[in-house]
Amino acid sequence: MTALEDIITEELRRPVLPLVARAAQAIAARVSGSAVLFYGSVLRTGDLDGVLDFYVLRGAAARTGLLSRLIWPDVSYHEVELEGRIVRAKVATMRLATFERAARGATLDTTIWARFVQPSALIWAENETVRRSVATAVANAAVTASWFTTLHCADVAAPGDFWRQLFRATYSTELRVEAPGREDQILSYDRERYDRLLPLAWRSGGIAFDEHDGSLMARPTECQLRAIAAAWLRVSRAGKWLNLVRLAKAAFTFEGAARYGLWKIERHTGVRIALTPFRERHPILAAPGVFWRVWRRTP
């Protein structure tokens, strides 16, 4: 393995709370998953009162509908009762082969490599072959992200500046609304990690660079730079449309959407609204009535 793969493999082994590991395995069983990646704020804080963020990767043998193969991931909300408490998770499910392609930058998607260049934990995998495949894909996500940093920060700069410019660019491409400074918040969790990661990813991706007093200067070849620019043009043109299509799909296929929405309302407003069969089956139709009840009962 390369030095980058060594570091990523070790990161993915980071320990998690036993309740998180048990919830991950229970959810993987529900959706026929082969591996579960854990990422997001609860990974950093360990606050089980929040919602866990999981990516469940499925093997080739798992039954997947045409819509799920064309427009991924499938999004669902799950609650697992463990030791007298409810562990909540928002789950994105997709095929492992598609995850691998997206991590290599071989799709029009930015979300996979931009998300998994950030810290994550591989909580569970059904066997060692799957574990190695996921680790390689996450390492490839770092390489893909590092290639695009050369396009968005062409000057001599600290490693954090390269990542900062990249994250800002992906937010606009993904049709995401992020608070100003979100990229600084991401980097602040472990600046040294991102400082180490960039030169390792460049080396693995064949990007030459100069390093002096903590600053870096990428030196991609003209051929590499043309390829990176062409790839970015493709994803930036498709990104917003792809996100709109995914949002439209999620509006009608988000399993557990009503349960998740009512939990969020109670958490943020203190207003508890019952989950009726109608609200569970028809969350979009039920939404106006729910909002009306919240408005009336919220000070």
Side-chain angles (χ1 to χ4, degrees):
M1 289 192 296
T2 66
L4 174 65
E5 290 175 314
D6 277 337
I7 286 178
I8 294 298
T9 299
E10 188 61 32
E11 280 191 353
L12 291 174
R13 291 179 181 145
R14 70 181 70 223
V16 300
L17 296 172
L19 284 180
V20 173
R22 289 170 59 191
Q25 291 185 44
I27 292 169
R30 290 179 186 177
V31 300
S32 302
S34 296
V36 183
L37 282 162
F38 179 30
Y39 69 99
S41 61
V42 181
L43 172 65
R44 297 186 292 265
T45 66
D47 178 15
L48 291 182
D49 290 331
V51 176
L52 312 180
D53 289 300
F54 290 154
Y55 253 79
V56 177
L57 306 177
R58 308 175 76 192
R63 296 179 62 183
T64 306
L66 178 61
L67 182 62
S68 297
R69 291 196 296 271
L70 293 176
I71 307 170
W72 43 264
D74 293 331
V75 182
S76 55
Y77 171 72
H78 296 261
E79 294 181 351
V80 182
E81 186 171 355
L82 296 167
E83 298 180 10
R85 72 175 299 162
I86 300 296
V87 179
R88 298 174 174 86
K90 188 170 64 174
V91 179
T93 306
M94 64 188 294
R95 298 176 70 186
L96 173 57
T98 305
F99 181 84
E100 292 173 313
R101 290 178 57 241
R104 293 196 307 270
T107 69
L108 294 177
D109 177 78
T110 61
T111 60
I112 297 301
W113 53 259
R115 179 167 288 133
F116 287 99
V117 73
Q118 301 172 46
S120 59
L122 180 54
I123 297 180
W124 174 82
E126 63 180 0
N127 56 51
E128 189 58 31
T129 299
V130 170
R131 184 174 294 277
R132 287 197 299 269
S133 295
V134 175
T136 298
V138 174
N140 285 337
V143 172
T144 302
S146 77
W147 269 60
F148 287 119
T149 64
T150 65
L151 189 65
H152 297 290
C153 187
D155 300 323
V156 177
D161 293 328
F162 284 91
W163 295 121
R164 189 174 294 108
Q165 294 298 328
L166 176 68
F167 289 141
R168 287 174 183 167
T170 59
Y171 295 157
S172 62
T173 300
E174 294 170 11
L175 198 63
R176 292 173 60 181
V177 179
E178 294 286 354
R182 171 60 177 159
E183 61 279 2
D184 291 312
Q185 186 182 25
I186 291 172
L187 294 172
S188 69
Y189 288 120
D190 193 347
R191 293 187 186 278
E192 291 184 1
R193 171 194 180 269
Y194 288 99
D195 289 350
R196 294 193 307 271
L197 189 65
L198 185 57
L200 289 173
W202 276 346
R203 288 192 186 100
S204 292
I207 299 292
F209 63 94
D210 296 330
E211 186 173 9
H212 182 68
D213 291 338
S215 294
L216 301 174
M217 177 68 180
R219 296 194 178 280
T221 66
E222 185 177 345
C223 182
Q224 287 173 332
L225 199 55
R226 284 200 304 268
I228 295 167
W232 183 258
L233 182 62
R234 289 193 296 271
V235 299
S236 62
R237 283 177 171 174
K240 291 182 174 62
W241 291 105
L242 182 58
N243 275 256
L244 286 171
V245 170
R246 285 174 172 163
L247 287 171
K249 176 196 171 188
F252 295 96
T253 64
F254 188 156
E255 183 181 343
R259 190 180 300 272
Y260 176 64
L262 294 180
W263 175 81
K264 290 281 283 187
I265 287 171
E266 182 178 358
R267 180 175 173 86
H268 290 289
T269 70
V271 177
R272 186 183 183 94
I273 298 176
L275 178 66
T276 65
F278 176 78
R279 288 173 182 150
E280 188 157 32
R281 289 195 305 269
H282 308 288
I284 296 176
L285 294 176
V290 169
F291 293 146
W292 171 252
R293 291 170 69 89
V294 172
W295 181 78
R296 290 187 64 191
R297 296 173 59 184
T298 304

